[in-house]
Amino acid sequence: MLIKFCGLTRQEDVDHAASLGAAMCGFIFHPRSPRGVTVAQAAALDSGSMLRVGVFVNQGADEIRRIMDEARLDYAQLHGHQSVECARAIGAERVIRVLWPDRYTHRALLYNDLQRNAEACAYYLLDAGLKGGGSGHKLDWSDLASLRPAHPWLLAGGLSAANVAMAVGMCAPAGVDFNSGVEDAPGCKNREKMAAAFMAANSKGNGYSL
């Protein structure tokens, strides 16, 4: 199971994610987010062997590439209205494309968007709500069980130790993204919650690995 901890702002939380064996760590480059960091702050956080992911909302390809270079990022997680052309300019192998299933009135429409973005991303991330992230809202996991997208996908949205095993069992994502469900406050992770969530996610892993 691919585990990602997102919304990291403190070295102690990055260190704990690494010690647990997380595959990815996420930094949010959006000034209006309570978990937002500057490029300099992200660059100063040592993440060890974890893959570094930047979350981008309004930035275009040129700015995203610059930030990726300066903050030593492996992936750009596109949370805004960036086009397929923007993703191609970043590099498809470096893009995590975020989609919100609750925006679609029918799963066929979601599948169409998954297909439309397939040539310009390496992973998908399916988040709860209608936009943004870190809200604590949850998806209807059973409704995602039949998805067969072109790339591995990560599940996000209100995941914690209390519900992640059920979520993984119901929809079998390649990985999960923890954020608000392992926090004491926005941007301040809780070591015990992180560890419990990591163990719970792996209790029903689907065998996927990087």
Side-chain angles (χ1 to χ4, degrees), residues 20-206:
L20 290 171
M24 293 179 170
C25 56
F27 310 107
I28 298 175
F29 297 98
H30 184 49
R32 292 172 57 186
S33 170
R35 303 173 183 88
V37 294
T38 66
V39 179
Q41 288 171 327
L45 293 170
D46 181 6
S47 53
S49 63
M50 290 187 294
L51 295 168
R52 296 167 66 87
V53 180
V55 175
F56 299 97
V57 178
N58 295 321
Q59 300 93 331
D62 290 342
E63 185 177 0
I64 290 172
R65 287 198 305 260
R66 175 184 63 78
I67 293 173
M68 291 183 78
D69 288 342
E70 294 179 9
R72 300 176 286 107
L73 303 178
D74 299 289
Y75 289 97
Q77 184 171 306
L78 303 185
H79 260 265
H81 297 286
Q82 293 96 342
S83 65
V84 170
E85 290 72 26
C86 173
R88 286 199 202 102
I90 296 166
E93 73 283 357
R94 305 178 74 192
V95 169
I96 299 172
R97 173 63 72 173
V98 180
L99 296 173
W100 293 266
D102 289 342
R103 286 183 176 181
Y104 302 89
T105 56
H106 193 280
R107 282 295 162 261
L109 300 176
L110 170 61
Y111 186 75
N112 287 343
D113 263 1
L114 290 167
Q115 290 297 101
R116 184 174 62 84
N117 287 281
E119 65 183 69
C121 68
Y123 294 93
Y124 303 104
L125 185 145
L126 302 185
D127 204 352
L130 300 177
K131 63 180 180 178
S135 65
H137 297 147
K138 296 184 288 292
L139 287 167
D140 180 354
W141 303 314
S142 63
D143 197 36
L144 303 176
S146 61
L147 278 183
R148 297 294 183 270
H151 302 296
W153 65 278
L154 281 68
L155 177 68
L159 297 176
S160 68
N163 61 24
V164 69
M166 178 181 292
V168 170
M170 292 178 72
C171 61
V176 293
D177 188 336
F178 294 112
N179 194 346
S180 61
V182 296
E183 290 182 328
D184 289 327
C188 297
K189 304 307 191 222
N190 178 292
R191 290 174 60 88
E192 288 74 23
K193 291 179 181 178
M194 290 174 72
F198 186 91
M199 292 179 62
N202 279 301
S203 70
K204 288 196 176 182
N206 64 358

